[in-house]
Amino acid sequence: MQNRLSIKSIQAFEAAARLGSFAAAADELAVTPSAVSHQVKLLEEQLGVPLFHRIHRAVVLTDAGQHLATEVIAAFSRIDAATRTVAVAGTGAVLTVHSTPSFASQWLMRRLARFGETHPGIDIRLNASMLPVTLNQGTVDVDIRYNPGTAAAGAVMVPFPDDTIVPLCSPSLANGIKPIRRPADLANHTLIHSEITILSWRDWGRRHRRVRLDMERGPRFDRSFMAISAAVDGLGVCLDSLLLAEQEIRTGKLIVPFPGDCMKAQGHGFLTLRTKTDLPKIRSFREWLFAELGRTLDWAERFVANGMTNPAP
């Protein structure tokens, strides 16, 4: 057998085996029946075995031909499916984004429909985890990382605007039997701890040394979205960013008892490979994302400047 088989011969054999006729295969391939017969004969010579029994005008697969047909027909079917998939995918672009769980659930997912409206040709694939991502592996286009530090070799990091960090609690807790009106009132309440945040209650306590806070007690979570949810449920007071808690504040599920008393921290960063940073799909997503972040930042600055809180009932 020759090392390289004729593609034309395999194509002719596949059509004849699938359709059970040289004539039908010829119609499908837009050639003559004799051309199909010639190509099949050539393949038989290359393999050194007969593939068809030729009975008058009919053809029947031999055992060897049946075995080969099963594999070749399946292979051509996979090729056909692959080309269809590529053709469909070629009409748009797929952008794979990896994000921290809290940013994905609290901020990004709420806005993806808006991105889809303005960029219908880009399909987002969103993965959320705290596991480190290696951009060089090529499975992720964008990595939204918390406390990103410096970018690794070959990558570019664009920092997010600074987060505004404030105490947050439910309106019922703030207006309950132990009202929260000033920082000293937090001494009467349970603190909810986010254990992986850049700024913690200890940082807040250094700014308010006269306030006695029990730092050892209170529920602890390794995700901000869980701490925010716990605050909504009235478990206590959490310390987190206006960026992540924007929706809960806007809907009145959480209030900021003293919004003018805030801390700032550079929380997240937008990372891509340097070689991919100017790809249209990445550039479009980056520009859209930072425009949306700008809107949230404007809201947060107005919120703090105006000292807005939910009024007591």
Side-chain angles (χ1 to χ4, degrees):
M1 183 184 75
Q2 297 180 10
N3 290 331
R4 298 179 66 88
L5 299 176
S6 166
I7 295 298
K8 285 186 177 180
S9 295
I10 295 174
Q11 185 181 32
F13 167 75
E14 187 274 339
R18 176 167 43 83
L19 299 172
S21 166
F22 285 180
D27 287 341
E28 182 177 281
L29 299 174
V31 297
T32 64
S34 61
V36 171
S37 178
H38 173 74
Q39 291 297 334
V40 170
K41 184 175 178 59
L42 178 61
L43 183 60
E44 290 175 325
E45 291 174 352
Q46 290 175 321
L47 295 174
V49 295
L51 300 173
F52 287 98
H53 295 296
R54 292 163 175 80
I55 306 171
H56 302 297
R57 294 185 178 181
V59 290
V60 179
L61 286 165
T62 64
D63 289 345
Q66 183 64 58
H67 177 76
L68 181 62
T70 300
E71 299 297 330
V72 170
I73 290 172
F76 270 73
S77 178
R78 289 194 297 272
I79 292 171
D80 181 64
T83 54
R84 291 177 185 273
T85 299
V86 169
V88 172
T91 61
V94 174
L95 181 71
T96 302
V97 178
H98 178 270
S99 171
T100 57
S102 292
F103 180 76
S105 62
Q106 291 292 119
W107 192 90
L108 182 56
M109 287 184 61
R110 305 179 194 277
R111 292 166 170 80
L112 284 182
R114 196 179 303 170
F115 177 78
E117 291 174 358
T118 55
H119 300 82
I122 302 176
D123 291 330
I124 297 292
R125 303 288 185 268
L126 178 59
N127 304 321
S129 77
M130 293 301 296
L131 298 175
V133 169
T134 303
L135 292 170
N136 285 322
Q137 291 180 347
T139 57
V140 170
D141 297 306
V142 173
D143 184 18
I144 297 174
R145 192 174 300 173
Y146 184 68
N147 194 13
T150 58
V156 178
M157 194 274 286
V158 182
F160 279 23
D162 284 352
D163 277 351
T164 300
I165 313 298
V166 291
L168 300 158
C169 64
S170 67
S172 60
L173 189 68
N175 301 310
I177 59 175
K178 296 179 180 179
I180 302 175
R181 298 288 182 265
R182 54 195 179 89
D185 294 334
L186 294 186
N188 301 318
H189 290 273
T190 300
L191 303 183
I192 299 171
H193 302 269
S194 295
E195 295 198 305
I196 61 172
T197 54
I198 297 173
L199 295 177
S200 68
W201 277 114
R202 293 193 182 280
D203 296 296
W204 191 89
R206 293 187 188 99
R207 294 164 54 93
H208 301 85
R209 295 187 181 277
R210 294 184 179 181
V211 179
R212 291 190 175 184
L213 299 178
D214 189 347
M215 301 291 184
E216 305 305 320
R217 300 293 306 277
R220 296 177 182 272
F221 302 96
D222 65 352
R223 301 287 187 274
S224 284
F225 74 86
M226 292 192 290
I228 291 170
S229 179
V232 170
D233 292 338
L235 269 68
V237 184
C238 75
L239 184 72
D240 224 299
S241 77
L242 292 181
L243 175 72
L244 297 183
E246 177 187 3
Q247 184 70 11
E248 286 77 9
I249 296 169
R250 286 184 181 273
T251 57
K253 295 179 180 179
L254 288 178
I255 67 167
V256 181
F258 10 91
D261 184 3
C262 59
M263 299 184 292
K264 294 283 188 177
Q266 199 277 301
H268 295 80
F270 183 102
L271 287 92
T272 56
L273 287 177
R274 188 177 302 277
T275 55
K276 298 173 68 174
T277 188
D278 287 326
L279 287 178
K281 64 180 182 179
I282 293 178
R283 185 174 63 249
S284 295
F285 182 71
R286 182 177 61 245
E287 291 173 353
W288 169 84
L289 181 75
F290 278 88
E292 290 291 324
L293 286 171
R295 293 187 181 93
T296 298
L297 178 62
D298 289 344
W299 166 80
E301 288 180 345
R302 292 196 305 271
F303 188 99
V304 171
N306 295 332
M308 292 187 290
T309 61
N310 286 34

